[in-house]
Amino acid sequence: MNQPIDLRSDTVTRPTDAMRQAMRDAQVGDDVMRTDPTVIELEERVAALFAKEAALFVPSGTMANLLAILAQTTPGDEILTHREGHIYYYEAGGYASVGGCSVKFVDDADAPKRGVLSADALRSAIRPADIHFPIPKLLTIENTHNRAGGVVWPMDMLGEVCAAAKEHGMRVHTDGARIWNAACALGVELSTLAADTDTISACLSKGLGCPVGSVLVGDRETIERARHKRKMLGGGMRQAGILAAAGLHALDHHLDRLADDHARARSLANDLAECSIFDFDPADVETNLVYAKLAEHAIDAGGDAFAWERTLESIGVLCYAESPTTLRFVTHLDLDDGAIQEAATRISSLGQRAGSG
Ligand SMILES: *Cc1c(COP(=O)(O)O)cnc(C)c1O
């Protein structure tokens, strides 16, 4: 049996020996009492990176997004978002069940790429003040956009949609689980990407390779409200410096290497696009996510993407079916050039067999 190559997600990375050492050596206190020096250092460092007043270390990206909602809305408010945004699609409906908010979708049909929202699209989704309508309070955007293929927001569109939200008295939250990847792909500072957004969540446990953790950043008052809500949700952690130390280590050692993940994703996409199983344009790959659409004949011969996911597993390549037609492959810290080449070789060998149909 081949050693499996795990391309399911960048969350599967395991802490490196050096990261474990940093965790072992961390100074700790009690973060609920606000006396954990390592958590404080991480929060101050991340706030500075994004040029915001304050930051809050939380267990997951899902909690960071939920806290952004709880801190900036009241029950009955409306959240405007993309129909395939993580907050709507993958967070167990927390915006509704915990936040008491409804969602209205902003369409991306007029945008140059999926997942990004024009100012016009936002304006046409906002309904006027009227006793019949909920109050549109928060726009959430996602950078990079996961289900749209890891796409990066163009800077001009980002500024325009945030300005349009502000014109209508709305706050803006950026789900920046992979904001590090967006900054790397564009070659801009994190503070530039955060300049027009009120709050931003960023995952430490994906491309940066930490075992646990996300950070929510924003103005002091909003983050203070989020801190209260974090306690309410049960996210107050005590000697959390053990985990924050991994985050500090990752900022020192794993930020600059994201460009390698992007180069590997492009190389994998090019190899897969040559393989008869798939029918997609590798030029659509902008960061570390490869969404590879199956060719029709491959679905006829080998079943839908869920069946192909199992077939690939049987040859030692782990990936996720994102829909009945599309497989997702993610490059990350634990996969080097050799592993990516080997994955492409294994998949291509299958393509030659299935490709006869
Ligand atoms: C992974 C992810 C999150 C948060 O995920 P957690 O598993 O809760 O940390 C949020 N938004 C996007 C776009 C993501 O990809």
Side-chain angles (χ1 to χ4, degrees):
M1 175 60 190
N2 287 327
Q3 181 72 22
I5 299 167
D6 197 343
L7 291 143
R8 287 173 300 175
S9 177
D10 42 9
T11 58
V12 302
T13 54
R14 272 163 274 217
T16 61
D17 286 342
M19 182 180 277
R20 286 172 194 255
Q21 187 66 41
M23 295 171 77
R24 204 189 71 94
D25 295 343
Q27 300 281 322
V28 295
D30 185 317
D31 183 49
V32 174
M33 299 177 190
R34 305 179 82 147
T35 58
D36 187 300
T38 310
V39 172
I40 292 169
E41 186 184 342
L42 175 69
E43 289 176 345
E44 285 177 354
R45 180 142 169 216
V46 175
L49 277 175
F50 288 93
K52 298 288 187 201
E53 287 174 2
L56 184 69
F57 182 54
V58 299
S60 69
T62 299
M63 190 184 283
N65 287 335
L66 181 55
L67 290 174
I69 291 169
L70 293 175
Q72 297 177 98
T73 62
T74 49
D77 285 343
E78 184 177 71
I79 298 170
L80 278 82
T81 193
H82 182 255
R83 69 183 65 251
E84 289 190 273
H86 199 277
I87 287 174
Y88 173 73
Y89 208 94
Y90 285 126
E91 298 184 6
Y95 64 86
S97 62
V98 186
C101 291
S102 57
V103 153
K104 190 163 197 294
F105 296 134
V106 183
D107 205 29
D108 63 2
D110 69 339
K113 47 188 175 182
R114 282 183 57 221
V116 303
L117 310 172
S118 72
D120 282 346
L122 175 65
R123 285 192 197 96
S124 63
I126 295 173
R127 290 172 289 180
D130 181 306
I131 58 161
H132 295 87
F133 305 138
I135 298 168
K137 193 67 75 64
L138 183 67
L139 169 68
T140 73
I141 63 177
E142 193 171 308
N143 200 8
T144 67
H145 198 290
N146 183 341
R147 282 189 65 83
V151 307
V152 181
W153 273 71
M155 282 310 300
D156 54 343
M157 289 190 71
L158 192 61
E160 285 161 20
V161 82
C162 292
K166 261 156 227 178
E167 276 164 32
H168 288 84
M170 297 174 70
R171 305 271 295 186
V172 182
H173 170 66
T174 298
D175 177 351
R178 296 191 179 84
I179 194 71
W180 325 101
N181 299 83
C184 170
L186 289 170
V188 301
E189 299 291 326
L190 292 157
S191 55
T192 306
L193 293 177
D196 295 321
T197 189
D198 296 295
T199 53
I200 183 160
S201 58
C203 275
L204 300 168
S205 60
K206 288 186 170 162
L208 294 192
C210 295
V212 175
S214 276
V215 182
L216 179 68
V217 269
D219 63 276
R220 207 174 301 286
E221 203 185 311
T222 303
I223 296 303
E224 215 39 50
R225 266 203 301 281
R227 188 179 289 275
H228 181 220
K229 302 291 186 187
R230 182 186 71 174
K231 191 73 185 82
M232 180 195 82
L233 295 176
M237 301 181 288
R238 301 296 179 167
Q239 281 70 54
I242 299 274
L243 299 171
L248 287 165
H249 178 85
L251 292 175
D252 286 334
H253 301 284
H254 297 167
L255 210 43
D256 291 342
R257 59 157 304 286
L258 290 175
D260 297 342
D261 290 346
H262 297 181
R264 286 173 187 139
R266 271 194 300 279
S267 131
L268 180 66
N270 287 334
D271 288 347
L272 296 184
E274 302 251 302
C275 168
S276 64
I277 299 172
F278 298 104
D279 180 13
F280 74 104
D281 186 355
D284 290 342
V285 173
E286 297 181 34
T287 54
N288 68 326
L289 308 186
V290 178
Y291 280 78
K293 192 166 183 293
L294 290 161
E296 261 172 51
H297 71 82
I299 292 177
D300 292 342
D304 66 9
F306 299 95
W308 275 102
E309 180 189 307
R310 291 191 296 277
T311 303
L312 263 58
E313 185 182 358
S314 75
I315 58 159
V317 177
L318 306 184
C319 65
Y320 270 143
E322 283 294 321
S323 73
T325 60
T326 303
L327 294 172
R328 187 186 82 164
F329 303 87
V330 186
T331 59
H332 55 73
L333 181 62
D334 287 4
L335 298 177
D336 59 13
D337 287 333
I340 297 299
Q341 291 254 286
E342 174 61 20
T345 303
R346 288 180 193 175
I347 297 168
S348 302
S349 71
L350 217 52
Q352 280 152 17
R353 287 203 298 277
S356 54

